[in-house]
Structures are given as C-alpha cells and as structure tokens.
Amino acid sequence: MRAVVMNGTGGRAMLDYVERPEPVAGPDEALVEIAFAGVNFMDIGVRQGMAWTDIPSPKILGVEGVGRVLNVGAGVEGIEPSQRVAWVYAPGSYAERIAIPAASLVPVPDAIDDRVAAAAMMQGLTASHFATDFYPVQPGDVAFVHAAAGGLGLLLTQIIKLRGGHVIGRVSSQEKVAAAREAGVDHVIVDTEGRFAEETLRLTKGEGVHVVYDGSGPTTFQGSLDVLRRSGTFCWYGPVLGGPGPLDIMSLPKSIKIGYAVFFDHIPTPGLLRARSAQLFDWIAERKLKVLIGGEYRLGDAVTAHADMESRKSTGKLVLIP
Ligand SMILES: NC(=O)c1ccc[n+]([C@@H]2O[C@H](COP(=O)([O-])OP(=O)(O)OC[C@H]3O[C@@H](n4cnc5c(N)ncnc54)[C@H](OP(=O)(O)O)[C@@H]3O)[C@@H](O)[C@H]2O)c1
C-alpha cells in the first residue's frame, strides 16, 4: 500500500510518499481502508521530533482518520467488516490502510459524511474537553480563543456559544476574520504581536475574561495572563508551538488557575471515547456544530498540507485523501 513516512526528524523534506507492506489485523485489531486522514499540528510536532521518538524511522505519520473495516482479528467484538469507523489517536494514519486496536474505533452514523467525521475527531474532542471538562463554560461567561479560525478554534468557539458563552477571538490575518465570525466569534481581533490584551480589557470594561484558551506559543502567553479576570482560568494546550518556559507560581496574578489541557484526558476509556464522539456527531447532525474543511489534499501531497498549516495560511481542518 502507499503511505507517507518520515525518514528522520526535521523539516518537510523528511516526508516521503512510498510503498509499504500491507498491514494485517492482529488480535483485538481491525484492518481499515482509510477514506480520509486528518492533518494535525501534532503531526508537525512528530515530524520535528517532539513526540514518538521511541518509534524508529521510517515511520508512517498521522493519528486520525475515517474509513471502512475490511476485517477484524481474533477477539474483536462490536466492530464488524464493512462498518464505517473513525479514530483520533492511532499512529500510522497517513496511509491507504491501517491495522488499529478495535477499542480505538468509534462507529460513524449514516448522517455524518466521511470527511466531516475525519475532521471532527481530534479537534472536536479537544474542543469538547476544553469547554465542557477542563473549564465548563457557563452562560454569560466571556472566553478568549486564540487561532480562532483554525480547525480547533472554530469548533471551540461553537461549543462555547452552544453553552451560552461569549467569544473574543484572535486571528493572525484579515483573511481569517470571516471564518471566525461565521463560527460565532462575537469580537475578532487581528494580531500576531501579542498586543490583543489591551483591546480585550477595553471590550470587557477592564474586568477581563473568565477563561483564555491558548496554544499559540510564547508570543501570546503574557497577553493571555493579562486578559484574565480575578479567579479566571488559563487553559494552555499548545506543545508544538512552544511553551512559556519555567513558571514561578508566585508570579501568577489574580488567583488565576492555570493548566495544560490534553484531549486524551477527555476520552481515557473506550466508553468515554464512544460517548463523547457520539455527542459530537449528534451536534453535527443537528446542525449545532459546523465543521469547516479548509483543504483536501491527495495523500501524496501531505507535504503541501504541512506547508499550508505551518505558514498560517489555513483555516479550518485539512484532510488527506488516500
Ligand atoms: N493539548 C491537546 O490536547 C491538543 C490537541 C490538539 C491540538 N493541540 C494543539 O493545538 C494547536 C492547534 O493545533 P491543531 O492541529 O488543532 O490545528 P489548528 O487549530 O488548525 O491550528 C492552526 C492554527 O495555528 C495557528 N498557527 C499556525 N502557525 C503558527 C505559528 N507559527 N505561530 C502561532 N500560531 C500559529 C494559526 O492561527 P493564527 O494564524 O490565526 O494564529 C492556525 O489557524 C497546536 O499547538 C497543537 O499542538 C493540543
């Protein structure tokens, strides 16, 4: 089968579109024909050597996708051949086929299109974690969302709005404003220099926001602290774009709460993975949540998808078609 592998860690030149041996479903696994694979910032982090360093190169990139089950290994229950399934964390997803633990799969309802299911898993479950679990947004809360026109930012904004919150969103360019507005951002700030705090404090009459969601790297960290109100919550989540470095806990202002939110803590068991994915699919089927596909690329063009994401040109979710 064809797959995108990384031959070592580093830039996009490390990626190669090659022939790989056919995967076989072992015990408790299913063999899946992949229809769409999701592109995540995490894949760029893996390519740069920030994760999975224990798996030797060349290795197949990608963790997310949707497809149809071809066959299952011994011991698999509840997943059957020809069933449509999706997954959020299975290394080896930039490929035509994957052998994957059956416990990592969720059924995809008929009402949900393949590309939408692939696009919704990682960013949708992450957004759901941030707005319902890490900081359960309450009606009337004001939230600040960074990269509000990205795949994660658009879904996070919509879930905050579903819960009755208001959203101030930051994007890096004027071209992204319309997508952010369409998702429901109440006030969009265009900024790349970390100067968004002043405008946010003006908008909130000096009080600041209840919660800030920041995965945008060191440039935004101080501003994100500054926009919080007393006892506000800082949801930090972006390992790939870099962290603030060591923090002196006594330097943190206004009794704020701060933490590193990780999507996996939202779906630690197969039962929770299924329940929370089902909730996402329900919201999508009921048109409460809209998934914006920002780009579709052939599997062999994964390099271009990475380039578009890294250059901050993309809005919404990027997917690969094997
Ligand atoms: N903790 C978790 O569980 C978890 C889960 C999923 C993702 N993440 C993290 O969330 C972030 C977004 O990942 P994603 O896969 O969901 O993609 P995404 O939301 O589609 O992110 C793309 C956005 O990132 C911003 N961006 C791109 N390059 C940047 C740069 N060099 N500096 C600052 N901002 C940049 C861009 O927004 P602007 O140009 O508008 O700023 C772009 O819209 C990543 O840091 C990823 O590691 C964390």
Side-chain angles (χ1 to χ4, degrees):
M1 69 162 183
R2 304 292 285 173
V4 176
V5 298
M6 49 182 278
N7 289 314
T9 56
R12 294 188 288 274
M14 288 296 151
L15 299 186
D16 226 346
Y17 184 47
V18 295
E19 194 65 29
R20 290 281 291 205
E22 281 295 332
V24 175
D28 301 320
E29 288 185 338
L31 178 68
V32 179
E33 181 89 43
I34 300 177
F36 289 90
V39 178
N40 290 291
F41 236 104
M42 180 195 166
D43 307 337
I44 292 166
V46 170
R47 198 197 70 212
Q48 292 171 342
M50 289 181 199
W52 294 7
T53 43
D54 49 323
I55 307 177
S57 295
K59 57 194 167 211
I60 303 176
L61 212 53
V63 292
E64 173 188 47
V66 68
R68 204 172 274 281
V69 176
L70 293 172
N71 57 57
V72 297
V76 172
E77 283 173 18
I79 295 288
E80 288 167 6
S82 89
Q83 195 176 354
R84 286 171 67 232
V85 288
W87 58 96
V88 61
Y89 195 74
S93 299
Y94 285 12
E96 290 179 321
R97 284 169 286 286
I98 186 171
I100 181 172
S104 305
L105 296 171
V106 299
V108 179
D110 291 343
I112 308 295
D113 184 56
D114 275 348
R115 56 170 62 64
V116 168
M121 291 298 288
M122 170 72 91
Q123 293 173 341
L125 290 168
T126 303
S128 161
H129 180 38
F130 291 178
T132 71
D133 201 356
F134 187 88
Y135 177 82
V137 172
Q138 302 301 311
D141 278 356
V142 184
F144 191 98
V145 174
H146 282 283
L152 178 56
L154 292 173
L155 294 171
L156 180 56
T157 293
Q158 292 175 76
I159 295 175
I160 294 168
K161 299 291 293 184
L162 272 177
R163 294 178 65 91
H166 301 280
V167 178
I168 302 173
R170 183 201 58 75
V171 298
S172 63
S173 66
Q174 205 59 44
E175 290 72 45
K176 297 184 176 185
V177 171
R181 284 229 173 90
E182 173 78 7
V185 176
D186 297 286
H187 191 95
V188 185
I189 298 175
V190 180
D191 175 55
T192 48
E193 312 293 326
R195 298 205 188 104
F196 52 87
E198 202 178 315
E199 189 170 350
T200 303
L201 290 173
R202 185 179 58 73
L203 287 166
T204 56
K205 301 193 170 46
E207 279 211 30
V209 302
H210 296 82
V211 58
V212 60
Y213 297 101
D214 187 353
S216 288
T219 327
T220 50
F221 190 78
Q222 184 59 48
S224 291
L225 283 179
D226 294 344
V227 299
L228 280 171
R229 66 175 59 198
R230 281 188 202 289
S231 304
T233 297
F234 194 134
C235 174
W236 187 84
Y237 63 87
V240 178
L241 290 166
L247 275 184
D248 173 3
I249 199 163
M250 290 204 299
S251 73
L252 295 174
K254 298 188 266 187
S255 306
I256 66 160
K257 298 171 271 297
I258 184 167
Y260 174 21
V262 177
F263 80 97
F264 198 75
D265 293 316
H266 196 50
I267 47 166
T269 63
L272 279 172
L273 170 65
R274 284 191 173 213
R276 289 180 158 154
S277 306
Q279 166 73 89
L280 272 184
F281 292 146
D282 282 350
W283 278 334
I284 295 169
E286 292 162 10
R287 299 181 190 279
K288 291 179 176 161
L289 200 59
K290 196 170 155 201
V291 179
L292 176 71
I293 308 289
E296 294 185 20
Y297 305 78
R298 286 190 203 147
L299 183 58
D301 293 332
V303 165
T304 313
H306 277 213
D308 288 349
M309 191 175 245
E310 286 179 285
S311 65
R312 303 179 87 159
K313 275 202 316 212
S314 62
T315 49
K317 179 74 181 189
L318 308 185
V319 292
L320 303 175
I321 311 169

